Amino acid sequence: MASIFSRIAAGEIPSYKVAEDDRYFAFLDINPVHPGHVLVIPKKEVDYIFDLTDEDYTGLMLFAKRVAKAIRKAIPCTKVGVTVIGLDVPHTHVHLVPMNTGSDMNFCGEKLTLPADEMEKIAASIASEFE
């Protein structure tokens, strides 16, 4: 059975897409730790990031770098933090979080719930900066 992320990338489940190519997909986390929190996934379903082939791992990180640059242009922040946790969904995913302080990357704290119109605006803003 396909993971929820595979179903999102296939368009079976709606998402706030910010970027996509033939191998990778980036979308807003629906329970962000900070507004503009993006998940970047390979379309190929692999649970553990270090089980990716070298080519897929490198490609994922280069795609994430492009997304991070778009986030930094679209969302006022000092830097874009990156982390890989991968415990909740058995599909490799990279978290990109706009941050001004270290606490903006607190994954153990309370998650945000943003209105759909705000999520759409954030996704469109990041997508417009993606190159």
Side-chain angles (χ1 to χ4, degrees):
M1 179 172 211
S3 77
I4 190 168
F5 289 167
S6 290
R7 296 180 64 211
I8 287 170
E12 296 171 16
I13 296 175
S15 69
Y16 299 100
K17 178 173 78 169
V18 300
E20 177 180 22
D21 69 10
D22 59 323
R23 295 171 50 200
Y24 307 103
F25 192 86
F27 56 100
L28 293 182
D29 190 312
I30 60 168
N31 293 303
V33 298
H34 193 273
H37 177 176
V38 172
L39 300 176
V40 182
I41 64 168
K43 289 183 178 178
K44 182 191 300 183
E45 191 171 313
V46 175
D47 179 14
Y48 183 49
I49 192 166
F50 296 121
D51 287 340
L52 291 170
T53 65
D54 290 351
E55 179 183 352
D56 288 337
Y57 176 85
T58 303
L60 175 66
M61 298 312 284
L62 289 171
F63 187 81
K65 180 180 179 179
R66 292 172 54 208
V67 174
K69 287 181 177 187
I71 293 169
R72 194 162 185 206
K73 289 178 185 175
I75 307 290
C77 62
T78 304
K79 294 186 177 185
V80 176
V82 59
T83 191
V84 177
I85 301 169
L87 296 174
D88 294 332
V89 177
H91 189 133
T92 294
H93 52 289
V94 174
H95 295 263
L96 299 176
V97 180
M99 55 186 265
N100 294 301
T101 69
S103 64
D104 291 337
M105 294 275 299
N106 182 3
F107 285 84
C108 295
E110 189 172 330
K111 305 293 191 296
L112 303 176
T113 302
L114 303 174
D117 61 330
E118 187 173 348
M119 294 286 279
E120 289 168 5
K121 182 180 173 186
I122 292 168
S125 178
I126 297 168
S128 72
E129 297 292 347
F130 183 76
E131 298 174 5

